[in-house]
Amino acid sequence: QVQLVESGGGLVQPGGSLRLSCAASGRIFSINVMAWYRQAPGEQRELVASISTSGATNYADSVKGRFTISRDNAKNTVDLQLSSLKPEDTAVYYCHALVRTRLTSPTNSYWGQGTQVTVSS
């Protein structure tokens, strides 16, 4: 019913930048919080940043001041600007959204397929 498609991952040197994008499509009535998570090998998936419909943001301490999350409510997209990247930022990054498909339906959780970010010299 709802698909989230990420793009923009890749290989970057330490100190470099990347921009991740995520587009939601399908049967969408409204989207509540949108977020980016990441999962490194052998680690738990962790929240990187989230943004509400009104634009209120929340960041993991490890990325504050380096990453910026933004969204376009009209286009159902969410972006993550990654700057001053460190090797420990290497992970698969996942887009997440809380979506209501109809006025009377509950909010459901949807995930993208993930995009790899590798920070290495």
Side-chain angles (χ1 to χ4, degrees), residues 8-9 11-12 34 46 55 60 67-68 72 85 121:
L11 172 65
V12 62
M34 301 187 83
E46 63 173 356
F67 292 7
T68 302
D72 186 325
L85 281 161
S121 54

Side-chain angles (χ1 to χ4, degrees), residues 76-94:
N76 292 330
T77 59
V78 61
D79 291 350
L80 186 68
Q81 178 69 41
L82 295 73
S83 303
S84 302
L85 281 161
K86 305 175 182 180
E88 51 263 43
D89 294 318
T90 295
V92 178
Y93 284 70
Y94 296 91

Side-chain angles (χ1 to χ4, degrees), residues 15-62:
S17 298
L18 279 176
R19 189 174 186 87
L20 306 182
S21 296
C22 173
S25 62
R27 190 185 181 98
I28 297 171
F29 176 77
S30 64
I31 301 179
N32 194 339
V33 176
M34 301 187 83
W36 287 93
Y37 286 74
R38 68 185 180 186
Q39 187 168 18
E43 301 290 333
Q44 299 265 20
R45 189 173 296 188
E46 63 173 356
L47 175 67
V48 176
S50 65
I51 184 167
S52 70
T53 305
S54 64
T57 58
N58 179 54
Y59 294 94
D61 288 342
S62 59

Side-chain angles (χ1 to χ4, degrees), residues 1-15:
Q1 284 185 323
V2 176
Q3 299 81 39
L4 300 181
V5 178
E6 301 111 333
S7 60
L11 172 65
V12 62
Q13 292 186 341

